[in-house]
Every structure is written in C-alpha cells, then in structure tokens.
Amino acid sequence: MSTVASTWLDSLLSGHELFPEHRAGCWVNGLRADALERAHALTLPTPRDEDWRFTDLSPLYRLAFRAPVAAGALDAASLAPFDVAEAPLRLTFVDGHFVPRLSRLAEAGGALVLPLAEALESHAELVRAHLGGCVANGGSAFAAINTAYLHDGLFLHAPRGVRVPPVHVLYVSTRADVAVSPRLLVIADAASELVLVEDYVAVHQDTYGVNVVAEVVAGPGARVRHMRLQHDSKNAFHIGTTGVRLDRDAQYGALAVAFGARISRLDLHLTQAGPGARCELDGLALLAGRQLADTHSFIDHAAADGSSRQEHRCIVDDGAHAVFNGRILVREGAQRTNSAQQSRNLLLSDKARVDAKPQLEIFADDVKCAHGATVGQLEAEEVFYLRSRGLSESAARAMLTYAFAAGLVNRIALPSVVARLRETLTARTGNTEIVR
C-alpha cells in the first residue's frame, strides 16, 4: 500500500469510535472490532491491481474525510424533487444519520422496515444470521471499513408469502469533507415480493465520500426488484458493494444508475445458489467532465436451470471515463444455464473513454451463453435523418443520445422514478424537444 493510501486509511479509521457500542447486541461490537482489524490489514486498491487497473483512487486518498457527528439541517420541502410517490415507506438518512421527521413509516403488510441501528437490538438473531453472509469483510478493504463503521442503515425483512409495498431509502448529503458508511440488509423469505429504491443525492456540489454495502438474500420463489440511483455531487467519491444470494426459483431484477460523483465504483456479486434462479441486471452511466464510473459485476451460476440477462449502457462525454467488467461463471453441474450479457457504449467526444471487458467462464456442457460489447459514436445517417425532418444538428444528436438511455429507463415500473430520470436525461443531453 502506498504511503498516501495508508495515511488516508489511518485518518479515516481514527473516527470509528464516534459510534457507541450497542447495548443488547454485544456481537455487533465484536464484528466491528474484527472488521477494524481486517481493514488495517487489507491493502487498499491501486491501478496495480487487475480489478482496479482502470480506476485510480489516488484523488480520494489525498483527501481527509471525517465521520459526521450529526445530521445537517434539512426541511421536508427540499426533499420533494427526490420523492418516490409510489413508495408509502421511506427511510431518510441525512449525512448518514436517520431522521424520523423526514421519513415515512407506515404499515408494511407484516414486513419489517426499520433503521438497521434499531434492528441490531430488536431483531438481533435475525440480523446476525444474515449480516455479512453475502459480502465478506475479508474480500475487500472497503467492505471491512464499512463494517468497522457499522451503525445504521436499512433493515428490510419480508416474511414468507408477504408482498411488501415499495420501499424508498434516501441518503442525502448536506456536508462537505465527510464520509458515510451506510449498510443495507434485505431478507426476502420464500414466495415474498418487494421493491426497493436505494437513492443517493446531495443538496450541494462539494466533496464528500460514500462507502456503502448492501446485502440481499432471496429465499425460494422470492421476487426482488432493486433500483439503485446514484446522483451524488459531481465532486463526491462513491464506493458501492452489493452482494446478492438467490435460492431455488428466486428472481432478482436490478437497475443501477450512475449520474453523479467524481469517481464511482459499484461491485456487484450475485450468486444463484438454488436451481431455477433468475436475474436481470440493467446498468446506466451518464458521464461528463472528469467523471469516472466503474462497474464490476460477477454472476455466479452455481446451480442448474438458472438464467441471467445483463445489459449495461454508458454515455460518455468530454474527458469522462466509463469502465465495465462483467464476469459470468457457470460452474460444473449448473446445466441448462441460459445467460446473456451485453455492454453498449456511446462516445460523445473524441476525448471520452470506455473500457469494457465482458467475461464468460463455463464449466458445464449443456448451456446457452453469449456476451458482447460495442463502443461507438452517433450514426451520421441517423443524425441526417432527423435533420431532414426539421431538427437542428444539436437537437438531433440530443434526441438520439436520450433514446440510447431511454431504452433502459422505460423498463422501470415506478412512474415517478421514470419521470425523474427522464428529467435528468433531458437536462444532461440538452434535449428540450422531448414530448412527454
């Protein structure tokens, strides 16, 4: 580890004692202490590491972040642009701290939807049985740091056969030079259904850090829809780790959007542990300026009759840089697996850059698997066609850029989320001629 990275880690971890020990959950204190030791022992990633060779975190390591001691002042009106109208349940965290007056807590149809800090004590055995099961501390320094700071976040448990109304967990940044470490634990028991919107926003454009870990456990026949919206400040640093485990016939659908942050990274590890499991993963990155967005996914087909579909799209302008590394592993015995992966990338500038690396590793002989990647610019013929219909060149290019992203956005089943993403796409692409 470089001296700069080591100094950054020591500075960051020096604030772990800000969070008090849990009264009834002594096991949490041991978990955090073990993670703190692991964090000091593990090496922070650099471009010398194969999985990080396109993502240089040295700008992050040069900063001195501190843990926020309290939530910043924020009123309900300022959250209106981020509201998900279809979600009767919303947990709002401001600078990493749960704020009840800005949240919507309603009847969840028999499910548990509450802050993780409360669940660590009120449902200790259930949390203990699953926390860390999908994302191990030993595999990543950032996951270990998150566990060392384990304090609060979302706990969502859908009991057997229960259909949970949409849940919105909103993380808002109001302060500069702080680092927050949210934790999400989602447990969907057999034949349950849930929709989760995981949302990161800022009310300023200063520098701060987010290091989040989310774990999703889906039991037999469970159905989980997971939308991850990253719209941080363009000067922020966002490191995300998501671990998913699917049992027999479980279904997981996800959309990960990266619009904000100076540097963002999402590591998604999904294991199809039971036969007949299905997953559909969509990703969208819209980048400009000096932004860098890196998505690393790993789909582990560990049982037979599984299926996966993944489509990741990047729109890159100015001197921005997008990275996609998608690995699919079909293990021996995972017969009749059906897997497809595609990375589609649109460059809007001569200086824009994309590095795409789809990977297939197959150890079974009765499978149907395909992958591919495309990188290109807008087609001159398409621009000419729209211009021949009366549009200016800039309007034609903006409309085509918007359409490239809208193919994924239109798959979302929540109209308020679709409207919000469309508004952002319209503003970022300069397309004012879209008919809504």
Side-chain angles (χ1 to χ4, degrees):
M1 188 188 315
S2 69
T3 302
V4 174
S6 178
T7 301
W8 178 83
L9 181 62
D10 291 340
S11 174
L12 182 66
L13 293 177
S14 65
H16 77 280
E17 70 277 358
L18 291 172
F19 298 114
E21 294 187 348
H22 292 273
R23 295 183 297 277
C26 295
W27 65 274
V28 178
N29 304 323
L31 183 69
R32 289 174 55 196
D34 179 65
L36 181 63
E37 183 177 349
R38 294 288 302 169
H40 281 294
L42 291 170
T43 301
L44 288 171
T46 71
R48 295 181 180 180
D49 301 302
E50 178 62 25
D51 283 345
W52 292 81
R53 64 192 182 103
F54 297 120
T55 303
D56 183 4
L57 293 180
S58 58
L60 170 63
Y61 298 152
R62 287 194 290 266
L63 300 173
F65 287 142
R66 65 186 188 280
V69 295
L74 203 63
D75 56 36
S78 61
L79 299 183
F82 316 121
D83 190 40
V84 177
E86 299 82 2
L89 297 156
R90 183 178 77 194
L91 274 67
T92 302
F93 295 83
V94 179
D95 300 320
H97 294 267
F98 177 61
V99 183
R101 65 179 178 83
L102 298 177
S103 302
R104 285 197 300 264
L105 301 178
E107 174 58 39
L112 294 172
V113 183
L114 65 160
L116 182 60
E118 181 180 333
L120 289 171
E121 299 185 0
S122 61
H123 298 83
E125 291 305 315
L126 182 59
V127 175
R128 186 174 187 177
H130 294 283
L131 191 68
C134 297
V135 177
N137 295 333
S140 163
F142 288 108
I145 292 170
N146 178 278
T147 304
Y149 274 100
L150 183 61
H151 172 62
D152 212 346
L154 168 73
F155 176 72
L156 171 53
H157 176 221
R160 182 185 183 90
V162 170
R163 184 174 184 179
V164 185
V167 177
H168 182 202
V169 55
L170 179 63
Y171 289 94
V172 187
S173 172
T174 70
R175 301 180 185 273
D177 302 324
V178 301
V180 297
S181 299
R183 189 68 171 246
L184 294 84
L185 178 59
V186 178
I187 306 167
D189 287 347
S192 63
E193 296 183 28
L194 64 89
V195 176
L196 171 65
V197 181
E198 180 186 351
D199 203 353
Y200 300 89
V201 301
V203 294
H204 63 95
Q205 288 300 320
D206 295 320
T207 302
Y208 61 93
V210 177
N211 177 30
V212 57
V213 170
E215 298 182 276
V216 179
V217 182
R223 300 179 64 182
V224 176
R225 294 291 303 174
H226 183 188
M227 278 158 277
R228 190 180 194 279
L229 311 178
Q230 187 273 104
H231 207 157
D232 286 302
S233 156
K234 288 186 180 180
N235 294 305
F237 294 83
H238 185 111
I239 306 295
T241 305
T242 299
V244 182
R245 182 178 177 85
L246 305 181
D247 209 330
R248 175 187 295 269
D249 297 323
Q251 298 180 35
Y252 177 78
L255 170 67
V257 173
F259 283 173
R262 165 69 177 84
I263 296 178
S264 64
R265 165 85 174 213
L266 174 61
D267 282 282
L268 170 62
H269 187 143
L270 184 146
T271 300
Q272 294 191 353
R278 296 175 54 191
C279 67
E280 295 185 352
L281 310 179
D282 291 328
L284 176 63
L286 179 61
L287 311 174
R290 300 181 304 140
Q291 286 182 284
L292 185 154
D294 183 348
T295 298
H296 269 60
S297 65
F298 176 35
I299 302 174
D300 185 354
H301 288 275
D305 299 304
S307 68
S308 64
R309 180 195 61 78
Q310 182 175 22
E311 183 173 357
H312 192 81
R313 299 191 186 190
C314 298
I315 301 173
V316 191
D317 201 356
D318 303 324
H321 183 189
V323 180
F324 173 74
N325 186 306
R327 179 186 172 201
I328 297 174
L329 171 64
V330 182
R331 295 185 183 273
E332 185 177 358
Q335 304 292 352
R336 298 172 298 283
T337 291
N338 188 341
S339 181
Q341 179 189 82
Q342 187 175 41
S343 170
R344 299 181 61 191
N345 305 280
L346 179 61
L347 301 179
L348 302 180
S349 156
D350 292 339
K351 295 182 179 180
R353 178 182 172 188
V354 171
D355 289 288
K357 184 182 178 183
Q359 297 176 261
L360 276 176
E361 300 177 41
I362 302 174
F363 297 94
D365 53 13
D366 183 9
V367 301
K368 182 179 179 180
C369 297
H371 67 172
T374 61
V375 180
Q377 297 178 323
L378 294 174
E379 293 290 341
E381 293 83 357
E382 295 176 348
V383 175
F384 176 79
Y385 176 83
L386 291 177
R387 292 192 66 188
S388 70
R389 289 335 188 240
L391 295 181
S392 65
E393 181 173 356
S394 61
R397 295 178 65 85
M399 186 169 289
L400 290 170
T401 303
Y402 175 89
F404 181 85
L408 292 186
V409 173
N410 291 338
R411 296 174 184 171
I412 301 173
L414 301 179
S416 64
V417 175
V418 173
R420 178 174 151 195
L421 293 179
R422 282 181 175 174
E423 183 177 353
T424 302
L425 286 168
T426 300
R428 294 278 293 270
T429 61
N431 188 358
T432 59
E433 302 184 31
I434 295 175
V435 178
R436 300 192 180 186

